[in-house]
Amino acid sequence: MFQTSNALRRSVHSQVTDRVGSSIVRGEIGVGETLPPEIRICEMMDVSRTVVREAIRTLTGKGLIESRPKSGTRVRPPEQWNQLDPDVLRWHLESAEIDRYLAKLFQLRAAVEPAAAALAANHAEEVDVARIRAGCDGMDAAKTNEEYVAADIAFHQAIYFATRNEFFWPIAQMFEITLRQSFTIAAPGSHRPRALREHRAVLDAIAAGDADGARQATVVLLANSADDLVRIRGREFDTPRPAKRR
């Protein structure tokens, strides 16, 4: 538990937070279980009590633990964690089985992203459309997979920000962490020209203020993205399918 080297150099506080937080997310300390006493953590990690207390405050703020008089510091249920917190997301990614992670990510995107695109079509301002277009153009101009992935992430983030609804924005912010892995897996391959056309279709619908078109174009994009990952990973992902035309 709390394994570490002697080289706690980046930031002692952040390192301790990282070690304890990742141990909790990995389940090394179960829900309702008590963390070791402060002095024990100090000894295990060779840090001061001030550092440990600051790490405990940080983890409390992320919802992972709670401290009560006479009962110690206990791990809270995952439902009470701040699951969109960048550190919590990163700890999950470090410990998750990749296919389960990708399936959950596609479930979230399938539930939310078509609606975000429709809202963007209704509410996007010129600057929003310009950001979405810049992401699409960046994908088209990318010379490396890394450049392509960065532009792809920027494209999808811009759609969520273009909703002009602040409740969608945390999802956009978490994409910097969560989408990078799935996009990096899918970036190489012959499907890229088709994916660029599908991204452009979403952009065009949003720019035209066509909410239904933006929603449907996003459903197509997500369904085909899932199919690309199925071919690469050999596993089905749960996404809605485009409605059949009558």
Side-chain angles (χ1 to χ4, degrees):
M1 189 186 301
F2 311 152
Q3 294 295 315
T4 187
S5 69
N6 292 325
L8 293 176
R9 296 290 182 266
R10 174 170 57 92
S11 163
V12 177
H13 154 251
S14 61
Q15 287 275 4
V16 173
T17 301
D18 214 46
R19 300 292 179 176
V20 179
S22 61
S23 292
I24 292 171
V25 171
R26 287 195 302 269
E28 294 175 3
I29 311 172
V31 173
E33 292 185 5
T34 305
L35 266 61
E38 280 184 8
I39 189 63
R40 176 60 180 143
I41 298 177
C42 293
E43 294 169 352
M44 294 167 70
M45 303 190 69
D46 193 24
V47 294
S48 69
R49 296 188 77 163
T50 299
V51 167
V52 172
R53 287 171 181 170
E54 183 61 30
I56 294 300
R57 281 194 290 269
T58 300
L59 293 169
T60 300
K62 297 177 186 296
L64 271 68
I65 57 176
E66 61 181 354
S67 298
R68 294 183 179 178
K70 299 182 180 180
S71 62
T73 302
R74 297 181 181 275
V75 176
R76 304 177 77 197
E79 303 94 295
Q80 298 176 6
W81 300 354
N82 181 359
Q83 298 287 359
L84 297 184
D85 178 270
D87 287 329
V88 177
L89 286 168
R90 178 168 53 82
W91 296 329
H92 275 302
L93 290 180
E94 290 171 352
S95 61
E97 192 274 317
I98 183 61
D99 287 325
R100 287 187 62 196
Y101 154 72
L102 290 174
K104 288 182 178 180
L105 180 59
F106 265 105
Q107 288 169 1
L108 171 65
R109 294 184 66 199
V112 179
E113 198 156 325
L119 284 171
N122 285 331
H123 300 291
E125 299 179 3
E126 288 185 12
V127 65
D128 300 311
V129 175
R131 288 186 187 130
I132 300 170
R133 191 179 305 280
C136 202
D137 291 344
M139 294 170 66
D140 200 13
K143 303 298 183 185
T144 66
N145 286 339
E146 290 77 11
E147 291 175 351
Y148 184 89
V149 168
D152 201 355
I153 291 172
F155 174 90
H156 291 278
Q157 285 180 319
I159 290 174
Y160 282 81
F161 290 130
T163 63
R164 293 286 161 173
N165 182 328
E166 61 270 26
F167 294 108
F168 280 83
W169 298 347
I171 299 174
Q173 292 164 342
M174 84 176 204
F175 278 174
E176 183 65 27
I177 298 172
T178 58
L179 284 188
R180 187 168 301 280
Q181 191 164 9
S182 63
F183 282 6
T184 299
I185 291 171
S190 59
H191 66 277
R192 188 180 290 188
R194 186 215 70 230
L196 285 168
R197 291 193 299 272
E198 291 167 356
H199 282 74
R200 190 72 64 179
V202 175
L203 163 65
D204 290 345
I206 291 174
D210 180 0
D212 289 339
R215 180 184 290 106
Q216 186 64 11
T218 302
V219 170
V220 171
L221 188 157
L222 289 175
N224 286 333
S225 295
D227 288 342
D228 293 335
L229 278 174
V230 167
R231 285 191 292 273
I232 294 168
R233 302 292 299 180
R235 178 184 176 128
E236 292 290 336
F237 297 97
D238 191 10
T239 62
R241 296 285 149 177
K244 293 182 179 179
R245 295 182 180 276
R246 294 182 178 179

